[in-house]
Amino acid sequence: MFVDSEIKSSGVIGLGICGNVQAMSIVHHGESTRGVSQSLSLLKKSTIESDTTVCFMVSCVGRGETFYKSKNVETGIFQKEFPNVPIGGFFGNGEVGLDQHSTEGKPLKDSHFLHSYSSVFCLCSLGKPTAPVRQGGSVTVSQ
């Protein structure tokens, strides 16, 4: 999502995951490695099942190597906090995500979803597969 008024064109890229999915996200706006660690420690308190979890990350193009003067800073901190969770993502010019810790108990507004100069970390856990159960001529999934 492009949120900069200087840009003449816009576009949105989305990712959809369906099924028995649990998700928790956090948006990091800070400018220090200590702040990234603090944000990720809040995410670590989530009750998402870790055996089947992956992280999807979208970070502002203004962050990264130029911002930190080093490569893979935020993903490196993530890997220290979540050593068994694979992480992937991309850089964008504007980020879409929900900081669930700052919106807890509050009505959601559009401004809670659109961000700039930030990194969005979203943990997604696919539930354990369930076996299909045959009933007559049809198949149903037990949960």
Side-chain angles (χ1 to χ4, degrees):
M1 175 62 130
F2 300 114
V3 293
D4 190 339
S5 62
E6 302 276 325
I7 295 175
K8 302 290 186 254
S9 62
S10 64
V12 176
I13 296 174
L15 173 70
I17 301 172
C18 64
N20 188 13
V21 178
Q22 291 180 308
M24 175 65 77
S25 59
I26 194 159
V27 180
H28 174 70
H29 292 282
E31 297 184 6
S32 70
T33 56
R34 184 172 167 239
V36 176
S37 294
Q38 289 172 337
S39 292
L40 291 175
S41 69
L42 289 174
L43 188 59
K44 198 169 189 170
K45 293 178 182 177
S46 71
T47 57
I48 292 198
E49 212 174 298
S50 62
D51 293 350
T52 59
T53 301
V54 297
C55 181
F56 184 71
M57 178 183 176
V58 179
S59 192
C60 179
V61 294
R63 300 179 77 82
E65 185 176 2
T66 305
F67 180 76
Y68 286 108
K69 310 291 188 245
S70 184
K71 289 183 177 183
N72 303 319
V73 171
E74 291 183 348
T75 53
I77 294 169
F78 178 87
Q79 289 172 330
K80 286 179 185 169
E81 291 285 332
F82 299 88
N84 299 319
V85 177
I87 183 170
F90 58 87
F91 288 94
N93 194 3
E95 302 77 54
V96 177
L98 176 63
D99 189 346
Q100 292 178 309
H101 292 283
S102 69
T103 59
E104 200 169 325
K106 299 176 186 172
L108 297 179
K109 303 175 192 166
D110 287 347
S111 61
H112 289 134
F113 297 98
L114 301 177
H115 306 279
S116 61
Y117 211 63
S118 62
S119 291
V120 178
F121 296 88
C122 182
L123 292 178
C124 295
S125 179
L126 301 174
K128 298 200 184 325
T130 56
V133 177
R134 286 219 174 257
Q135 292 181 345
S138 64
V139 175
T140 59
V141 176
S142 63
Q143 297 206 20

